[in-house]
Amino acid sequence: MASQRITVAKFGGVSAGVVMRRLRDWNIARHPASADEWSSDQWPPEVRLQVDAFADRLRANAVGPPVLAYVEWSDLWSMGDLFVRWLAPPGGPPPVVLYGDRFEVYGYALPDDGRLIRHLAAAGPQQFPESDQYVSRLHETIEAWRDLTREAAIVVLREVVGGLVTDEEGDESLRVVPEWLAGP
């Protein structure tokens, strides 16, 4: 569990194909000791740099086409397996998963015969509010500009920025003004 910044974006049109090809090409460079274990050192350093640079460019250019939807938020509690689980609909293709030095990047190509949207719609209430939030935001992102283009790429960025925030730490933070906010 970690403090993390989560980004969900939707690319449309021909750019979606470029995004998915790039993610798949980087994924091929992965050399795991075990298929079930994941860490950034399974990718060559130059690929990790390219993955992080892609994430930075997406965040810097998020307010215009071909990015058709973009949302970013903080998540102080979720475990890493949440992000791939909801991008893996039954009977559908698995998401592309990449680890840079700063970012984990997940990619999913549309159209997929509606598998991912049905998977998310059938989710029902989750155990934790953060999981509900992620499922809802994925669903909203897929639906955004749906009539504009069939070809799309859903990209999820996960940037871990710290450790888990305990309930006690969260409660305490509500009683003080942080240093960065106290100044002029």
Side-chain angles (χ1 to χ4, degrees):
M1 299 169 95
S3 299
Q4 54 216 330
R5 179 181 296 123
I6 307 302
T7 305
V8 179
K10 179 180 184 177
F11 287 85
V14 295
S15 293
V18 170
V19 166
M20 291 307 300
R21 277 190 300 281
R22 185 164 297 152
L23 298 181
R24 288 180 183 121
D25 287 347
W26 289 331
N27 193 44
I28 291 169
R30 178 176 177 242
H31 298 290
S34 166
D36 296 332
E37 295 178 13
W38 291 82
S39 70
S40 60
D41 63 358
Q42 295 172 348
W43 281 269
E46 64 274 7
V47 172
R48 295 192 312 259
L49 287 171
Q50 291 170 13
V51 168
D52 287 343
F54 168 78
D56 286 332
R57 285 193 312 273
L58 168 56
R59 294 181 67 225
N61 293 282
V63 297
V67 179
L68 302 177
Y70 181 91
V71 62
E72 186 171 272
W73 71 98
S74 63
D75 179 326
L76 303 179
W77 295 282
S78 295
M79 292 179 40
D81 63 339
L82 169 75
F83 305 102
V84 73
R85 178 182 341 135
W86 289 107
L87 284 173
V96 176
V97 179
L98 300 161
Y99 284 31
D101 290 321
R102 289 181 29 237
F103 292 93
E104 293 174 17
V105 178
Y106 306 91
Y108 189 88
L110 297 172
D112 69 345
D113 295 324
R115 287 183 182 98
L116 184 56
I117 200 78
R118 284 192 305 273
H119 178 55
L120 297 169
Q126 299 299 298
Q127 181 177 4
F128 303 108
E130 295 79 20
S131 300
D132 288 325
Q133 184 178 39
Y134 178 61
V135 169
S136 293
R137 289 187 170 165
L138 273 178
H139 192 277
E140 292 164 1
T141 300
I142 294 166
E143 291 291 345
W145 294 88
R146 191 173 184 176
D147 295 335
L148 183 63
T149 182
R150 282 183 30 86
E151 187 176 11
I154 303 300
V155 174
V156 175
L157 308 177
R158 176 182 185 231
E159 182 182 17
V160 174
V161 296
L164 164 75
V165 174
T166 66
D167 290 344
E168 294 79 18
E169 290 169 326
D171 289 344
E172 176 61 27
S173 75
L174 301 177
R175 291 188 281 279
V176 298
V177 176
E179 258 185 63
W180 65 267
L181 187 56

